[in-house]
Amino acid sequence: MLDLIKRIFSGESSSPRDQANSRLRLVLTHDRLGSSAQLMETLKEEILEVIARHVDIEGNPEVRLITEGKHAALDINIPIKGR
Amino acid sequence: MENKNKDGQVIVVTSGKGGVGKTTTVANVASALAKMGHRVVVIDLDIGLKKLDLILGLENRVIYDIIQVIEGECTLKQALVKDKRFPELYMLPAAQTRNKEDITPEQVVALCAQLRPDFDYIFIDCPAGIEQGFRNAIAAADQALVVTNPEVSAVRDADRIIGMLESAAFTDIKLVVNRLRNEMVRQGDMLSVDDLLEHLCIDLVGIVPEDKGILVSTNKGEPVVLNERSQAAIAFNNIARRLSGEDIEFLSFDDESFWRRLTRGLFSSR
Ligand SMILES: Nc1ncnc2c1ncn2[C@@H]1O[C@H](COP(=O)(O)OP(=O)(O)OP(=O)(O)O)[C@@H](O)[C@H]1O
Ligand SMILES: [Mg+2]
């Protein structure tokens, strides 16, 4: 919303600089993930294996890397069977 | 100088993308440090496509090259070309008719080990790319300067290179933003230094504006830092001073008005 007001006041839509920034944000996230796609697969398999030994997994388990700037986190979402 | 008895630092200047200003940065920062009285040597590792000798204006004085040193045809001392404009600036030339595969990372490490006791700074001019030439160039380095332009493809390559440097256990990686045009940033047509830092998440060591003086000095074979008045000269001198430990404020080369800054502050959501 504030962005919109800012744009109206400065009389510009998305500037080439803004576009460059959002394109870079996308492409860099993708590049950084790309190199670790295999690693993510391996991690997912092994984590699921350990969990499955103790509880029943159901649905679509997910293991993702979330990056924001220099910071990264593993987002693990494993639905397990309720009673 | 102050660290006469300390071994020299090896600094690789790299970028991934070609033509962003690595050789220009090496030539000028090395010259600036030499002018300050430091003992400096520059190594051209762009084997097969050498340019550093031309940019420094030393092409007529080259006799031997780095491959001849490695293959034992001459001594390291014989191959070093002295730049007479400075008390202690030397260049180790690349070979023009050989390949980047004709030299190994181990050989570069050994060469730098030989140079360390006699110099304060050893600069390595890295070729473009991420292959063997890059691996050779980073092998001996204690720190890396990553040069980029405010442009999406250069930033993407810089990000890749930073990732590779981090995997190679580099902890000292600094960014040089070259060819910045503030009027374009202000008009919203170019990425700003802050934009680049937000994407790349590394420390900044220099902002070099687009400057016609660079082409003029390249034509003459004179580093631009010899011409005190140019904006690029100030920028490269400042990089040299920061590398030698001085705390120098970043010139923005900017005259963005107070009013614009104020309105931006008022309307930005953060
Ligand atoms: N700040 C600047 N302003 C204007 N022109 C510049 C600037 N920096 C570099 N250049 C020009 O850009 C060109 C490429 O510079 P340079 O050779 O230093 O890049 P490089 O990264 O070493 O290239 P390569 O990857 O081919 O080795 C040169 O013609 C140089 O004069
Ligand atoms: Mg070069």
Side-chain angles (χ1 to χ4, degrees):
Chain A
M1 181 58 190
L2 283 164
D3 265 337
L4 185 68
I5 296 173
K6 195 164 116 193
R7 250 181 247 155
I8 294 168
F9 267 79
S10 57
E12 57 191 356
S13 56
S14 173
S15 70
R17 173 182 166 190
D18 294 338
Q19 291 174 24
N21 274 319
S22 56
R23 291 176 67 213
L24 267 174
R25 227 163 270 138
L26 268 176
V27 86
L28 293 187
T29 308
H30 193 267
D31 287 356
R32 288 170 191 163
L33 276 176
S35 57
S36 57
Q38 184 55 49
L39 174 67
M40 281 303 115
E41 239 353 90
T42 319
L43 268 179
K44 184 175 169 178
E45 276 168 26
E46 292 183 11
I47 290 170
L48 290 181
E49 199 185 301
V50 173
I51 307 277
R53 248 185 259 153
H54 304 283
V55 290
D56 286 335
I57 300 175
E58 66 172 10
N60 277 330
E62 268 186 289
V63 177
R64 295 184 306 141
L65 190 67
I66 314 175
T67 55
E68 199 183 311
K70 207 173 191 165
H71 305 286
L74 268 186
D75 178 30
I76 303 177
N77 188 351
I78 304 175
I80 49 177
K81 217 173 241 168
R83 297 186 178 227
Chain B
M1 285 311 297
E2 66 274 15
N3 45 1
K4 266 257 139 73
N5 300 315
K6 232 177 77 191
D7 268 7
Q9 278 274 309
V10 180
I11 305 176
V12 62
V13 179
T14 181
S15 68
K17 186 173 188 289
V20 298
K22 294 178 290 297
T23 305
T24 305
T25 301
V26 169
N28 283 289
V29 175
S31 299
L33 282 165
K35 207 173 58 178
M36 289 159 64
H38 297 285
R39 303 164 303 166
V40 185
V41 59
V42 294
I43 304 179
D44 189 351
L45 274 187
D46 202 347
I47 295 164
L49 288 170
K50 62 174 178 168
K51 293 174 273 288
L52 189 58
D53 56 342
L54 268 181
I55 293 193
L56 280 170
L58 296 175
E59 71 276 12
N60 291 328
R61 312 245 327 278
V62 172
I63 302 172
Y64 298 108
D65 62 54
I66 186 169
I67 301 276
Q68 288 173 303
V69 175
I70 283 169
E71 295 182 348
E73 278 179 51
C74 65
T75 65
L76 177 54
K77 222 175 194 155
Q78 284 174 317
L80 289 177
V81 179
K82 173 145 180 26
D83 190 327
K84 293 175 181 154
R85 292 164 298 196
F86 304 96
E88 286 212 60
L89 176 62
Y90 292 83
M91 176 186 66
L92 181 57
Q96 184 70 342
T97 55
R98 300 291 291 269
N99 306 311
K100 303 189 166 55
E101 292 74 30
D102 291 342
I103 172 170
T104 68
E106 295 72 34
Q107 288 167 331
V108 177
V109 170
L111 209 69
C112 288
Q114 248 183 293
L115 291 166
R116 278 180 201 269
D118 296 327
F119 292 95
D120 302 315
Y121 296 96
I122 300 161
F123 279 92
I124 297 190
D125 188 10
C126 178
I130 51 173
E131 297 81 18
Q132 169 112 32
F134 169 73
R135 288 194 294 274
N136 288 339
I138 67 168
D142 305 306
Q143 54 170 303
L145 302 188
V146 174
V147 183
T148 194
N149 298 154
E151 187 235 315
V152 284
S153 62
V155 177
R156 181 188 205 170
D157 284 6
D159 189 67
R160 182 87 207 280
I161 285 294
I162 292 165
M164 295 181 80
L165 289 167
E166 284 172 348
S167 326
F170 273 76
T171 51
D172 194 344
I173 309 172
K174 297 196 190 81
L175 187 70
V176 176
V177 178
N178 187 26
R179 308 196 78 154
L180 186 75
R181 300 170 67 153
N182 265 303
E183 75 288 357
M184 290 188 69
V185 176
R186 241 172 293 126
Q187 288 160 4
D189 286 332
M190 184 180 262
L191 291 163
S192 71
V193 173
D194 285 339
D195 293 339
L196 299 194
L197 292 175
E198 198 185 313
H199 290 299
L200 297 174
C201 315
I202 58 171
D203 289 340
L204 181 69
V205 73
I207 307 168
V208 185
E210 174 78 26
D211 188 338
K212 287 184 201 137
I214 299 268
L215 180 62
V216 176
S217 72
T218 304
N219 284 338
K220 295 197 284 191
E222 262 178 23
V224 75
V225 288
L226 287 173
N227 168 10
E228 301 286 350
R229 285 179 316 168
S230 114
Q231 283 209 315
I234 298 169
F236 284 123
N237 275 313
N238 284 349
I239 295 176
R241 293 170 66 185
R242 287 186 196 109
L243 287 179
S244 70
E246 281 182 64
D247 189 15
I248 313 267
E249 222 186 303
F250 284 95
L251 291 178
S252 64
F253 298 102
D254 195 1
D255 41 60
E256 183 175 15
S257 76
F258 172 72
W259 172 243
R260 228 189 119 90
R261 245 180 251 194
L262 185 70
T263 51
R264 202 214 264 156
L266 282 176
F267 289 119
S268 87
S269 40
R270 275 192 290 171

